[in-house]
Amino acid sequence: MTRTKKTSMTARGGRAAVVGALGLAAVTLAAGPAFAKGAVDIAAPRTAHVGEAIAVSAHGGDDSAGFLHQLCLEENGFGEGWHQESCSVAVKGDARVSVQGTAARRGNLQFRAVLYGLTSAHDQHPVRLHASEVVTVAVR
């Protein structure tokens, strides 16, 4: 015959309280976002005339600690595909970049800004953090 120890009601209640507290802590920690927050904004005119100056500017940042940020403006126009127009220097905090150019022919130009995270000023493998929405400039 084996003996089994009977657990009292207070021991069971204590265990239930500990399990409940751990479950509540896990739910509370899971409810918060586990990613860094950031955003990229871009501004460009809606229309432009052939030969007229087009100014595009962007700014963006991310609250990820330990990263330098670099913001690049990219252009897609006249079937050429996306290519970089200009990039800011690597900075801690918010990055800003602007370009100004002219369109030589009619059509639509698209611009977007992309925020990269770098571990140092000379990082060869930047990490893409955020991208802005695409803005279209109709050249007439």
Side-chain angles (χ1 to χ4, degrees):
M1 179 187 256
T2 54
R3 289 182 158 194
T4 57
K5 184 178 177 183
K6 292 185 178 180
T7 56
S8 67
M9 292 300 275
T10 57
R12 286 185 199 160
R15 268 191 239 131
V18 169
V19 169
L22 289 174
L24 180 63
V27 168
T28 303
L29 290 175
F35 56 88
K37 293 182 181 160
V40 178
D41 296 316
I42 188 169
R46 290 181 186 231
T47 61
H49 295 285
V50 173
E52 181 182 314
I54 301 171
V56 180
S57 62
H59 70 277
D62 192 289
D63 64 354
S64 55
F67 274 103
L68 293 173
H69 298 115
Q70 184 175 31
L71 187 63
C72 295
L73 279 173
E74 298 179 347
E75 176 189 3
N76 180 9
F78 311 119
E80 299 171 1
W82 288 104
H83 63 276
Q84 285 186 354
E85 284 293 312
S86 180
C87 290
S88 70
V89 295
V91 295
K92 286 191 176 186
D94 289 349
R96 297 182 179 277
V97 66
S98 61
V99 296
Q100 187 167 352
T102 59
R105 63 182 193 189
R106 294 178 184 206
N108 289 333
L109 292 173
Q110 294 180 322
F111 295 94
R112 68 180 176 193
V114 180
L115 182 69
Y116 294 97
L118 298 94
T119 55
S120 70
H122 304 289
D123 188 359
Q124 296 296 314
H125 303 286
V127 176
R128 182 178 172 159
L129 299 175
H130 303 284
S132 72
E133 60 189 33
V134 175
V135 294
T136 302
V137 178
V139 180
R140 300 173 190 211

